[in-house]
Amino acid sequence: MERLNFDTIKHYQSFATIEDMDKAVRGFLYKYKSSLSDGAVKVLNFIWHYSVKVVGVSFAKYDTMAATVGLSRRTVIRAVKVLEELTFIKKIPTSRMNGKQGVNLFVIQPFALDQVSPQDVTHPVTPNKTENKQSSLCENKKQNRIIVKETEVEDSVREMGLNSEAVSRSDVDGEKQAESKGLKQKAGVTSREMQQKAQLNAEIKSTVQLKPVEWHQFNPSFLPEYVNKDFILAAQSFFHPGDIHKLWSKIQLAYKKVKLLANLDDVMEPIIADFKRTVFLYKTGKVHTTFEGYFYRVVYGSLWNLKVREYQQEWYERVMNR
């Protein structure tokens, strides 16, 4: 089990650029998306979009993934296992500096899209949709046209072989005819391959692709609406939108574990105070763990204190109503 540090993560970088990673993921989804569950697709999209600092490598915890994509921890683990079995995700266990088990690295593996033909990615059971019916009919028509051409060439050669004029020709003419037949058959195969590649390239080009924009170039307005606006205002001076969303996921995780009766938006004041205190301690060098880990423990403690107060209030009301 390897120690978790930047050199270890960098060692497992699986792509040279973000564009190469994007092509691999899109190629994998093009072939396997119809056979994957919605949970597996959500988990893959999470790993994909959080694998840009070291291209192809994500090191988010199961709990973080579950809170972000809205699934249970067990469902996320099952989804990762499915992606591992398809050999597209490789899980690397790591250890902390104290020797305890750390987070897992999820490494996206290269996917050779150029080796995939339209026949390979067509599944035996086609969903009952009009688009798929139309596309299947078009493909069948193309294949039928090619087969007819090959049959016509073979029939014409047979006729030439039975014709008395063809029999009377010299052996040199026979060799030329055989060579011509071979060239026509080879041209037919080449034509099919070119059609398959052209169709695949057209589908790839028609896919909308995002430009490789770094997180620090994003505006906080891109954050989802469920992220508290006061928290964004407090955090945007110190973190880019991607990290703000991670910290918000920590807040949501702590809130769900404590099972506070109060609405999360109603207790944001102490949480923002915890955030500011954590920033100050981190900047003064008094935080010796990760910022998000320390922040999560502080928020959990504050929410638990509020939960205790709710218990006390509930107990007091029961006593007074006796």
Side-chain angles (χ1 to χ4, degrees), residues 38-313:
D38 292 339
V41 175
K42 288 181 180 179
V43 170
L44 176 57
N45 283 329
F46 178 93
I47 296 174
W48 176 18
H49 290 101
Y50 282 86
S51 300
V52 293
K53 289 186 178 179
V54 178
V55 185
V57 183
S58 171
F59 47 92
K61 297 180 180 178
Y62 285 129
D63 290 335
T64 303
M65 284 194 281
T68 303
V69 302
L71 299 172
S72 66
R73 188 176 190 273
R74 185 175 298 179
T75 303
V76 170
I77 294 175
R78 284 201 301 266
V80 170
K81 187 176 181 181
V82 169
L83 296 173
E84 282 187 280
E85 291 174 351
L86 292 173
T87 67
F88 190 60
I89 297 294
K90 185 176 182 181
K91 184 175 70 176
I92 309 295
T94 64
S95 62
R96 301 176 184 175
M97 298 302 294
N98 58 8
K100 295 183 179 180
Q101 184 177 355
V103 298
N104 295 314
L105 301 182
F106 300 104
V107 185
I108 300 174
Q109 302 299 303
F111 188 82
L113 184 60
D114 293 339
Q115 298 177 3
V116 180
S117 67
Q119 285 78 8
D120 293 333
V121 299
T122 302
H123 296 276
V125 181
T126 304
N128 188 16
K129 295 181 180 179
T130 306
E131 290 184 2
N132 292 336
K133 289 183 179 179
Q134 291 177 350
S135 62
S136 301
L137 290 172
C138 292
E139 289 179 0
N140 291 335
K141 288 180 180 178
K142 289 182 180 178
Q143 293 174 357
N144 292 336
R145 284 202 297 271
I146 294 172
I147 293 172
V148 169
K149 288 181 180 179
E150 290 181 349
T151 306
E152 290 175 354
V153 172
E154 291 176 358
D155 292 340
S156 63
V157 172
R158 290 195 189 97
E159 291 175 1
M160 290 173 65
L162 295 174
N163 194 311
S164 59
E165 294 180 0
V167 173
S168 63
R169 291 179 182 176
S170 63
D171 295 338
V172 176
D173 292 335
E175 292 178 0
K176 288 183 178 180
Q177 292 173 10
E179 183 179 358
S180 175
K181 176 184 176 181
L183 290 174
K184 288 181 179 179
Q185 290 179 342
K186 186 176 180 181
V189 174
T190 305
S191 175
R192 286 200 301 273
E193 292 177 351
M194 290 177 65
Q195 288 179 359
Q196 292 172 359
K197 289 183 178 180
Q199 181 180 353
L200 190 59
N201 290 333
E203 291 174 351
I204 295 173
K205 289 179 180 178
S206 65
T207 304
V208 177
Q209 298 183 4
L210 287 173
K211 293 182 179 180
V213 181
E214 297 295 335
W215 269 119
H216 67 271
Q217 297 176 282
F218 275 80
N219 188 288
S221 62
F222 281 90
L223 284 166
E225 293 183 359
Y226 58 78
V227 181
N228 184 271
K229 299 297 185 286
D230 292 333
F231 180 74
I232 295 175
L233 187 63
Q236 65 183 1
S237 299
F238 306 96
F239 298 99
H240 60 63
D243 284 341
I244 293 175
H245 190 266
K246 286 182 181 179
L247 294 175
W248 180 251
S249 299
K250 293 294 182 183
I251 295 172
Q252 287 184 312
L253 181 61
Y255 177 76
K256 290 179 180 179
K257 284 191 173 183
V258 172
K259 298 180 180 179
L260 202 64
L261 297 178
N263 191 284
L264 181 56
D265 289 334
D266 296 334
V267 295
M268 283 307 302
E269 185 175 349
I271 292 176
I272 292 174
D274 290 337
F275 171 77
K276 292 179 179 180
R277 184 166 65 256
T278 304
V279 169
F280 179 80
L281 293 175
Y282 190 84
K283 286 293 185 180
T284 54
K286 296 181 181 179
V287 176
H288 303 294
T289 60
T290 61
F291 183 93
E292 57 183 307
Y294 185 87
F295 177 62
Y296 170 77
R297 289 193 293 273
V298 172
V299 171
Y300 184 87
S302 295
L303 294 179
W304 182 252
N305 289 334
L306 293 175
K307 185 65 177 178
V308 171
R309 292 181 188 176
E310 287 183 345
Y311 278 134
Q312 292 174 344
Q313 182 67 24

